[in-house]
Amino acid sequence: MAEKTLDNLFYDTLKDIYYAERKIVKALPKMARGAQSPELKAAFEKHRDETEWQIDQLQQVFDIIGKRAMGKTCDAIEGILAEGDEILEEYEGTDALDAGLIAAAQAVEHYEITRYGTLKRWATLLGHDDAAQLLDGILQQESKTDEDLTALADARANEKAQGAKAA
Ligand code: FE
Ligand code: FE
Ligand code: FE
């Protein structure tokens, strides 16, 4: 078997997150339609647009390393998104739906954050500073999204799920 190096890991992991982002961009409109609060709907719609931008950025990273942009099945994102679908089905019409959707979406963001954190470091080590910068840009966007979701959970969704007396 041929020797494998950080180059292989970088390309394979880039394909993994490229696959994941293309699944996420299709899942977010469904989550936006499902969300009850206008704020959460807007957050999902905003992140759908950001995800389109991220896919474009990833294509630029493939260009920088001189490799074809292609996906590699990511079982993790399939599972995380399947859990989101479960929430949509099982909590439809309940006060706990938005809190569940936020939690599901944060699982996605955290998967992305770990991927981009790794990819950014590997890009730097491989001498692709321009790619590292693009990956860091995406990483910042995922982190901000995660923080915004926490804020929405704290502001209202968790309390609503808990069945607190109406404010
Ligand atoms: Fe993303
Ligand atoms: Fe994966
Ligand atoms: Fe994201």
Side-chain angles (χ1 to χ4, degrees):
M1 202 186 230
E3 184 63 38
K4 288 196 175 185
T5 68
L6 196 62
D7 276 300
N8 304 96
L9 280 174
F10 183 77
Y11 186 39
D12 280 338
T13 307
L14 194 60
K15 288 191 280 192
D16 175 271
I17 197 65
Y18 187 63
Y19 178 95
E21 293 290 10
R22 289 192 302 172
K23 289 283 169 177
I24 295 163
V25 82
K26 284 185 218 153
L28 280 165
K30 209 165 34 163
M31 294 177 78
R33 277 195 302 277
Q36 292 169 340
S37 89
E39 293 81 9
L40 186 57
K41 268 183 200 296
F44 286 150
E45 280 163 8
K46 177 182 174 211
H47 201 48
R48 195 213 72 92
D49 292 348
E50 290 174 339
T51 301
E52 275 200 342
W53 176 83
Q54 293 172 359
I55 289 169
D56 186 75
Q57 298 294 105
L58 288 177
Q59 286 162 353
Q60 290 186 44
V61 175
F62 282 110
D63 281 347
I64 289 168
I65 65 167
K67 296 264 174 71
R68 197 160 77 86
M70 59 186 289
K72 182 174 197 275
T73 305
C74 171
D75 294 322
I77 207 66
E78 299 281 7
I80 291 168
L81 293 176
E83 289 185 356
D85 282 340
E86 261 174 43
I87 297 285
L88 276 171
E89 280 172 34
E90 296 174 10
Y91 286 83
E92 189 183 3
T94 73
D95 280 350
L97 177 65
D98 278 4
L101 286 180
I102 290 171
Q106 286 190 286
V108 174
E109 297 315 312
H110 282 236
Y111 181 70
E112 295 180 299
I113 288 166
T114 182
R115 283 316 194 200
Y116 288 115
T118 297
L119 281 166
K120 169 190 148 176
R121 281 162 183 80
W122 285 350
T124 301
L125 285 170
L126 292 167
H128 297 302
D129 288 338
D130 31 6
Q133 221 173 323
L134 296 182
L135 293 163
D136 185 61
I138 304 176
L139 176 61
Q140 299 310 316
Q141 204 167 55
E142 308 293 20
S143 299
K144 174 72 166 66
T145 302
D146 182 50
E147 285 165 24
D148 290 350
L149 289 167
T150 296
L152 287 175
D154 286 348
R156 188 150 159 66
N158 284 346
E159 214 172 283
K160 187 183 174 193
Q162 211 174 7
K165 296 161 204 89

